[in-house]
Amino acid sequence: ASYRFSAVVGGRRVSETPQVVEQPALQPVNFGEHFQITPSGLIVNGQPSFDLCEMFGESLKTLEKGVAFAIGDYCLYLEGRFGEQASQIIDHMGWTASTLRTYIWVASNVAPDVRRGDRLGIAHHQTVAKLPPREQKKWLTQAAAGNGDGKAWSVSHLKQAMKAGSDLAVTSWWL
């Protein structure tokens, strides 16, 4: 695609056709023969069985919970393997610097065996990342367990509990 740019500069009309740099299109990711994820969503090919649909749903759940950790781990791997050259790959991916800093920092400070991505998001782990591993595990385990209602703590509840030094006592009930 080519576009013509025109403007008036110093009383003179200036026209030029700027160089358009084409970005490579994001490639679809195939999950078996039936499921394909594209940048704009899911394409289902054929009529996968109920069991396949259920398995794919579980895969999506894992991806949703684990992608931030995977990106952080990926960047750490690239930096460890390729050093300065890793930035060529990382910069090409187009992630914002602040997002990458967060993911890399959390991935480097919270060990995979302590992570509770099954119940908690990256923000919970970011909250405990500055703590020693034993404390991380304690707080993440408590936050994942929740208050016995089957729901994990919110990030703000985790922060408040950490500040108080223990879980927060229930001070009121709302009906």
Side-chain angles (χ1 to χ4, degrees):
S2 130
Y3 304 93
R4 188 141 185 88
F5 173 76
S6 179
V8 176
V9 179
R12 282 186 9 187
R13 178 169 289 284
V14 178
S15 295
E16 65 179 75
T17 304
Q19 182 75 11
V20 176
V21 177
E22 294 291 327
Q23 293 291 328
L26 294 174
Q27 297 301 307
V29 178
N30 295 313
F31 290 85
E33 64 184 270
H34 294 292
F35 303 101
Q36 184 180 66
I37 296 179
T38 72
S40 59
L42 176 68
I43 297 173
V44 180
N45 298 306
Q47 295 183 341
S49 69
F50 180 87
D51 289 342
L52 276 176
C53 288
E54 184 177 36
M55 288 181 357
F56 180 68
E58 289 298 320
S59 297
L60 287 175
K61 192 164 85 173
T62 300
L63 287 170
E64 177 192 22
K65 287 293 191 172
V67 74
F69 296 116
I71 292 170
D73 292 336
Y74 173 68
C75 291
L76 289 170
Y77 169 79
L78 290 175
E79 289 171 351
R81 173 111 195 271
F82 301 110
E84 285 294 315
Q85 205 176 11
S87 65
Q88 294 174 18
I89 297 172
I90 294 169
D91 292 346
H92 177 74
M93 302 314 292
W95 292 307
T96 65
S98 63
T99 297
L100 280 180
R101 272 194 306 275
T102 299
Y103 293 171
I104 292 169
W105 187 74
V106 173
S108 65
N109 286 293
V110 181
D113 64 329
V114 175
R115 297 178 192 167
R116 292 301 312 265
D118 60 326
R119 304 259 311 147
L120 305 173
I122 191 81
H124 289 87
H125 295 81
Q126 183 181 1
T127 301
V128 302
K130 63 183 176 279
L131 302 173
R134 179 174 279 168
E135 288 291 302
Q136 290 176 3
K137 187 171 187 168
K138 173 188 131 181
W139 287 112
L140 291 172
T141 300
Q142 286 183 4
N147 295 326
D149 58 2
K151 295 180 185 173
W153 289 350
S154 67
V155 174
S156 63
H157 185 112
L158 173 59
K159 287 178 181 178
Q160 291 173 6
M162 287 172 60
K163 189 174 182 181
S166 64
D167 189 12
L168 305 173
V170 176
T171 57
S172 60
W173 292 93
W174 296 92
L175 299 177

